[in-house]
Amino acid sequence: LTSRPAGSGTGAPERVTFLFDPRSPWCYQTSRWARLVEARGQVELEWGVLSLEVVSLHDDEDPHVLEAEYGPALRTAVALRQRSGTEALGRFYAALGKLMWDSDPPEGFPADLVPAESMEAISRRALGEINEDPALVDQVLADPASWEAVLDEHRHWTKDLGAFGVPTLVFGAGEGPAVFGPVLRRLPDEQTALELWRRVSWLAHRGFVFELKRHRALSMRADLPAAVWRGALRVARMQAARALMTPGGPCEGASLEWSMAAVRRAAESVPPGDAPG
Amino acid sequence: MEKVRLHFDPRCPWCYQANRWAVRVQALGEIDLDWGLYCLEVANLPGGADPVALGETARSASALRTAAAILERESSKAVGRFYVALGSRVWEASTPMSDRDLAVTESAEEAGFDRSIVADAMADPRTWTEVLRQHRELVDKGGIGVPTMVLDGGDGPAIFGPVISELPGDEDSVELWKTVSWLARYDNFYELKRRRTAQPDLPGWKVPPSRLTFGSRPWMPPVPDR
């Protein structure tokens, strides 16, 4: 490379804020790559959150009243960063990602579509893994302002920096530019990871480049042990939600995420064994 | 030198910007280009709909069918000359030609063909069959739109983009090519994207939509990814 931007292979590491939502296995895969690059001294990471559920809401759906499935983890994330710093948040996301995606699916799958642990429970376990107090989850869930804090941050990244999904890398120590990706199916080896970083950084600093994309089938899953199982769970819940979105249904005209929240509420109000609706 | 096939639909200004860049990279001795066809209106048909009627009605049908006729009479390189001639009239001119058929005819002439090739192409159903065949070929390789670059002269990996708003200088053009090529060959890479905060830096794009040679603007803002 003849004209490298600061930090892309020479000199000081480039400071990048990594935006995540624990719901995306692709995002977790990219975060593993980013940590590998950080370990080689090419980048200094900070961590931020963006809610994929909120991104997908229709304009007339109020995110303040959305009971987001990944809300407990995102609320814990923002509170933990406030209390213990961005490095602690990075460790929390690593622990959460490992528990969610880098663990074997439960016994019984694929014969049975074994349900996943709640995001409350898995967030408590992730805090325990990094020697933080699991009670933080209960504190944030008792405080509605913790969801407002997530929404404020989400609004900042989407409205001020143009972020629209995860993973997003916000270069310039979080000041921009913000770039979605790189979307990766598996973790690169170290040499490839560093070469990829140089390419991504070079492109990010060329504001006239907007997109490069390879076809990715909807059925493709990230190369992570739990991705097929969790993907199957999500597809099943999407199908239940779509049934509510049909003409005349209770969620006609609603967004998929809004309808999925309704499916979760219905499941919580029906005792096990009874069929909903 | 790498052989690269660039699939295009003349109605997409982003695609034309990528073509200007690719032609420059070729002039700098980095790649050897040829061209493939693609029709955005065929791509946007609802599933199962028959694309045959679009051979008459698609905004870029006459241009794409003329390109197919040029390919039959001469070569893919001649298709590239025709595309550049057309782009210079509809995207690079500050007053884009309002008569699409005239733009196509003049471009065929500039590329070295008789004006009658346009009427001949429209009268010959095989030209649309050829457009659809090349379109299908790209879709089968995972093509999702234009511009798409296919490495190894059309036999290698295909990658959508690069979507660029302006033509880079020589040094950045070459480096961009090396980056696109590296990412296209790294099959673990799927996507890198930012919100399109700029429009293509082309005079023909800045006119009111009603005066665009190819009609509506074939571009929507990005939808959220998961």
Side-chain angles (χ1 to χ4, degrees), chain B residues 186-197:
Chain B
Y186 181 42
D187 68 359
N188 185 39
F189 167 83
Y190 285 92
E191 191 169 353
L192 192 72
K193 177 157 80 178
R194 80 175 90 211
R195 182 161 290 179
R196 292 194 200 177
T197 48

Side-chain angles (χ1 to χ4, degrees), chain A residues 208-269:
Chain A
F208 57 87
V209 183
F210 290 94
E211 188 169 351
L212 270 171
K213 184 173 183 170
R214 188 194 312 273
H215 174 63
R216 180 162 53 117
L218 275 175
S219 58
M220 183 184 281
R221 299 287 177 256
D223 184 20
L224 288 161
V228 171
W229 165 57
R230 286 186 175 271
L233 282 173
R234 179 164 169 81
V235 167
R237 282 174 295 145
M238 279 166 58
Q239 284 166 349
R242 291 222 163 87
L244 302 185
M245 292 158 71
T246 51
C251 294
E252 180 182 359
S255 69
L256 180 63
E257 296 299 339
W258 195 261
S259 181
M260 287 182 77
V263 169
R264 288 195 297 278
R265 278 198 304 279
E268 281 161 15
S269 64

